[in-house]
Structures are given as structure tokens and as C-alpha cells.
């Protein structure tokens, strides 16, 4: 069964936002791609801002829900001892990376969207990202404090932000990375990408305070 009008709009918006950026995607381009008229967009979403929010929530909320479930499992397994930094990072990185790799393999490369939400300017987008990520940031910062109690929380906060930068760049710049690599790496190997990100971020999180 073909998707209904609302889903077609969301699918097209997600793809176009990933390819061209949110600000650069006009409603006219979107309606042409989705095969709908502007009235349909206004009926279902009232505004482009509301459409952006719906696209982000549809894509990011399931990822964040899975992150929290995985983090709960990590903390449960480590009850009474320090949780593993690598396990915490796996819970943070694996859900968005696997979502991006599934989209890449299915021929709908929306990986750029997951990178753009952290890097595209604009207060509206920033406020939406803050709303979606506030609990994630707090929960993962608390877990890292359990794993690395010797690191001051202010320092851990910075290091967590740099860890976010690792995955936002990886997902947002996959074609660039692939081109620069010139065959040295396989950007279709999600597990290897995950291993490399975790090793890099774990080293940074554990780094010297001097």
C-alpha cells in the first residue's frame, strides 16, 4: 500500500533535508518531490517549522528511546561496580549509526540529516535539538560520572560534547570521508565504524587532566 499524503511529505522532507539542508529546502521543492500541493503541507503541518519538528521527532525519538534502553541495560549489568566507558559509548553510538547504515543500504541515504541537526545554524532548530537531547545528555553524563568518577563533571561534559561531534561528523560527512579515504576504509562496515568511534571517544573521555 502506498504511503498516505502525510507520510509522503515526511519521507520527502527527510530525504531533501538530508541532501540539501533544512534551510535550503524550499516548500516548493518539497511539494514537487512529494507530488503534493502546498495546501496539503499546510493542512498536515501548518508551517515549515512544524514540519521540521515532525521530521526530526520521527527520526530521532526512536533512536533516543533505544539509547536509553541500552543505557539502562549497561547500568543494570554493572550494578555495584563501575560501568564500562565502552559500553556507555556503544549505547550512545550504535542506535544512530545502525539507523543510518540501514538507510544507506536501503538506498535512502538520510545520514546527512543526523549530522545536520547538530551543525545547521538557526535558533529554531537548536531549540528543537535541545528538547530532544536534554534527557539523553543528562542520562549519559550521569553514567559517565559513574564510570569515571575521578574526572570532574565539567570536564566530562565537554568530553561528552566532543564525543557527540565524532558521530555527527561521521554521519554528516560520509561521502566526504569515503572520498578522502580513497579505498582505505569501507564505509559500509558499520561495526568497524562503531569500533573506531568508540576507541577514539573512550580515549578522549579517559584522557589526562593535565
Amino acid at each position: 500500500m502506498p504511503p498516505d499524503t502525510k507520510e509522503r511529505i515526511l519521507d520527502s522532507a527527510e530525504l531533501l533535508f538530508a541532501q540539501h539542508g533544512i534551510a535550503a529546502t524550499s516548500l516548493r521543492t518539497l511539494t514537487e518531490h512529494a507530488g503534493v500541493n502546498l495546501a496539503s503541507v499546510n493542512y498536515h503541518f501548518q508551517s515549515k517549522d512544524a514540519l521540521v519538528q515532525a521530521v526530526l521527532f520521527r527520526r530521532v525519538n526512536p533512536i533516543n528511546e533505544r539509547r536509553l534502553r541500552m543505557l539502562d541495560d549497561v547500568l543494570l549489568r554493572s550494578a555495584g561496580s563501575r560501568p564500562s566507558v565502552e559500553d556507555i559509548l556503544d549505547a550512545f553510538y550504535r542506535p544512530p549509526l545502525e539507523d543510518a547504515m540501514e538507510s544507506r543500504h536501503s538506498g535512502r541515504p538520510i545520514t546527512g540529516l543526523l549530522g545536520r541537526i547538530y551543525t545547521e545554524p538557526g535558533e529554531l532548530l537548536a531549540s528543537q535539538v535541545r528538547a530532544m537531547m536534554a534527557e539523553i545528555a543528562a542520562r549519559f553524563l550521569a553514567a559517565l560520572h559513574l564510570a569515571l568518577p575521578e574526572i570532574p563533571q565539567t570536564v566530562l561534559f565537554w568530553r561528552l560534547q566532543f564525543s557527540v561531534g565524532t558521530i555527527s561528523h561521521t554521519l554528516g560527512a560520509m561521502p566526504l570521508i569515503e572520498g578522502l579515504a580513497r579505498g582505505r576504509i569501507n564505509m559500509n562496515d558499520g561495526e568497524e565504524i562503531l569500533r573506531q568511534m568508540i576507541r577514539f571517544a573512550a580515549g578522549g573521555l579517559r584522557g589526562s587532566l593535565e
Side-chain angles (χ1 to χ4, degrees), residues 24-114:
T25 300
S26 68
L27 286 179
R28 178 178 179 180
T29 301
L30 171 61
T31 55
E32 289 176 354
H33 188 278
V36 300
N37 56 37
L38 184 59
S40 296
V41 177
N42 290 333
Y43 173 77
H44 288 290
F45 301 102
Q46 288 75 58
S47 67
K48 183 180 177 182
D49 291 346
L51 172 60
V52 170
Q53 183 179 58
V55 169
L56 295 181
F57 277 31
R58 186 179 73 154
R59 176 58 63 181
V60 177
N61 277 4
I63 290 172
N64 283 346
E65 288 169 2
R66 187 177 172 212
R67 278 170 158 165
L68 293 177
R69 290 196 302 271
M70 290 181 66
L71 183 61
D72 286 341
D73 289 342
V74 170
L75 296 177
L76 184 62
R77 292 197 307 269
S78 65
S81 61
R82 289 191 186 191
S84 161
V85 172
E86 284 78 7
D87 286 347
I88 294 170
L89 287 170
D90 185 78
F92 188 75
Y93 285 152
R94 184 178 291 277
L97 180 63
E98 288 187 345
D99 183 81
M101 297 307 294
E102 181 181 347
S103 297
R104 179 179 170 93
H105 294 154
S106 69
R108 281 186 58 84
I110 54 79
T111 53
L113 177 66
L114 299 175

Side-chain angles (χ1 to χ4, degrees), residues 121-190:
E123 177 53 33
L124 174 71
L125 184 58
S127 68
Q128 292 177 347
V129 173
R130 283 196 298 269
M132 289 186 295
M133 298 302 296
E135 182 180 7
I136 295 294
R139 290 283 308 279
F140 276 86
L141 184 61
L144 287 170
H145 183 61
L146 291 175
L148 299 167
E150 67 279 10
I151 306 292
Q153 286 208 35
T154 301
V155 175
L156 273 181
F157 175 83
W158 276 116
R159 293 180 180 182
L160 176 59
Q161 301 315 302
F162 300 145
S163 300
V164 172
T166 297
I167 191 164
S168 62
H169 171 71
T170 301
L171 296 183
M174 275 190 167
L176 173 63
I177 295 169
E178 201 162 28
L180 292 173
R182 296 184 177 180
R184 287 190 291 263
I185 61 175
N186 178 8
M187 289 303 288
N188 290 315
D189 187 347

